[in-house]
Amino acid sequence: MNRVFIPLSLSQPDPVPADAPTESLGGQTMGTSWSVKLIRPPHLALETIRDGIQQQLDLVIGQMSTWSASSDLSRYNQSEAGSWQALPVPSVPPVHFLRVLDCALDVAERSGGAYDPSIGPLVNLWGFGPDPARSEAPDAAALAQAQARCGWQRVRIDRARNALLQPGGLYLDFSSIAKGYAVDLVAEYLRGIGVSSHLVEIGGELRGHGVKADGQPWWVGLEQPPAPTGSESGMQSVVALHDLALATSGDYRRYFEHAGTRYSHTIDPRTAQPIAHALASVTVLHADCMTADAWATALMVLGDEDGLALALEVGLAALFVRRDGAGFRESMTPAMQAMLS
């Protein structure tokens, strides 16, 4: 049985020839896979489109990857205390690095620090960043030392000089927002060259626009946590991604186990510990994937009660899936409920 979500405000999609085939591109990026489905205008070669997509992905890696020592983000993280680091490509309105940082800081403030782009030292210490993976929890002293380096309030931006202050030991990590931004960048590139019907996906984060040759939108299934052994997976949900993006955060994607405890890759900046509540996943629908990506992480950290309360306050379309005995229990915001068809 399927449950269908349809955006409330739909722009009229561009017409597509009835015989237009759906073509696919894909590859690897940012430690995960990417894929694009599209209706290609006849005057554009598929290889040309692929090259353009790769340029967008390379731009994000070049500016925002903590896994690349030569990225702008890594150069900032490694810079000396008191130094000002020039940000790439000054522009009005701000684009790329600063656009992502501004969004991250906004979500950090509105979530009371449940989301924090400076959480890098803790992510690395728990073994979920570029540092080697762990098989047991770090000790209290190491955690305290790493947490002392964090704090989104320490970020200082000089917009007139297009520069970012390194106050000392600050290590920004855009892992929970950069993939979403890359999805947006690819989608904006495709629309810019006239590919008006497309579905972009990077590591499970998606954004779609337009319709296929049969007039149907890009239908996408909402990611569900793995069902407990011996139980049914439950109702499947699909959403029409036209002028809409989605991102899902779950505690089952990356983790390690030690002495009977499972440690999720989602770290609560306020406690320096992996989340340990019953919330299994959060899906956020939004106009852009960058914002959906950041908010999905913030709500996942907050848990189902506090997360739902904040999602209601902010007006987000969000679906929460909580572990409940041998199964799951769902809750959703009114904005999400209103999309049910």
Side-chain angles (χ1 to χ4, degrees):
M1 181 177 180
N2 282 346
R3 180 175 53 183
V4 178
F5 293 89
I6 297 177
L8 295 179
S9 56
L10 286 175
S11 62
Q12 182 65 33
D14 294 338
V16 174
D19 60 347
T22 298
E23 299 182 89
S24 299
L25 294 167
Q28 298 293 312
T29 189
M30 304 179 212
T32 188
S33 61
W34 67 268
S35 67
V36 172
K37 296 180 180 179
L38 60 105
I39 306 295
R40 177 175 57 88
H43 68 281
L44 290 174
L46 200 58
E47 260 325 292
T48 300
I49 298 173
R50 173 187 283 277
D51 290 344
I53 291 172
Q54 192 62 56
Q55 288 176 12
Q56 311 311 309
L57 299 175
D58 290 346
L59 185 154
V60 174
I61 292 171
Q63 293 195 13
M64 306 175 205
S65 173
T66 55
W67 300 78
S68 170
S70 61
S71 73
D72 294 300
L73 187 61
S74 290
R75 288 193 298 105
Y76 169 79
N77 288 340
Q78 297 159 7
S79 60
E80 295 182 0
S83 63
W84 286 89
Q85 298 300 304
L87 298 175
V89 195
S91 175
V92 177
V95 294
H96 309 321
F97 190 108
L98 190 53
R99 186 174 167 187
V100 170
L101 180 57
D102 281 339
C103 178
L105 293 175
D106 178 63
V107 175
E109 182 174 13
R110 298 173 82 177
S111 68
Y115 182 87
D116 190 341
S118 72
I119 197 176
L122 288 170
V123 172
N124 294 345
L125 180 61
W126 278 100
F128 296 115
D131 293 355
R134 298 188 67 94
S135 58
E136 60 183 29
D139 61 46
L143 282 170
Q145 186 177 26
Q147 190 175 28
R149 295 176 55 193
C150 302
W152 62 272
Q153 302 94 332
R154 301 174 65 207
V155 175
R156 294 291 180 271
I157 304 169
D158 186 330
R159 297 182 188 273
R161 295 166 53 194
N162 198 56
L164 194 64
L165 175 66
Q166 172 56 268
L170 196 63
Y171 185 107
L172 297 177
D173 185 340
F174 289 166
S175 297
S176 59
I177 192 172
K179 284 197 296 292
Y181 183 69
V183 169
D184 291 333
L185 209 56
V186 170
E188 290 164 8
Y189 161 75
L190 291 172
R191 292 191 69 176
I193 63 172
V195 181
S196 58
S197 181
H198 55 261
L199 177 67
V200 180
E201 180 267 337
I202 302 177
E205 323 297 18
L206 300 109
R207 178 170 165 175
H209 183 79
V211 294
K212 296 174 285 186
D214 60 3
Q216 290 291 310
W218 300 102
W219 291 107
V220 173
L222 299 188
E223 183 178 320
Q224 293 289 318
T229 303
S231 65
E232 297 182 3
S233 59
M235 182 179 294
Q236 299 298 306
S237 301
V238 295
V239 59
L241 282 192
H242 173 51
D243 281 347
L244 196 64
L246 76 81
T248 299
S249 180
D251 69 352
Y252 49 85
R253 286 182 167 178
R254 292 179 62 201
Y255 60 89
F256 69 86
E257 294 183 352
H258 177 69
T261 300
R262 188 171 75 159
Y263 298 95
S264 168
H265 79 286
T266 303
I267 311 297
D268 187 337
R270 303 165 301 176
T271 65
Q273 298 286 329
I275 56 174
H277 46 59
L279 187 61
S281 72
V282 181
T283 295
V284 174
L285 301 180
H286 199 274
D288 68 83
C289 201
M290 170 181 67
T291 305
D293 203 3
W295 272 116
T297 299
L299 299 179
M300 189 69 206
V301 169
L302 286 167
D304 63 329
E305 292 185 5
D306 291 343
L308 181 60
L310 182 58
L312 285 167
E313 180 184 324
V314 176
L316 295 171
L319 174 68
F320 296 77
V321 181
R322 172 192 172 96
R323 290 186 177 84
D324 187 13
F328 297 105
R329 176 170 56 84
E330 289 186 342
S331 55
M332 66 180 78
T333 62
M336 189 81 180
Q337 183 83 31
M339 293 189 196
L340 270 176
S341 177

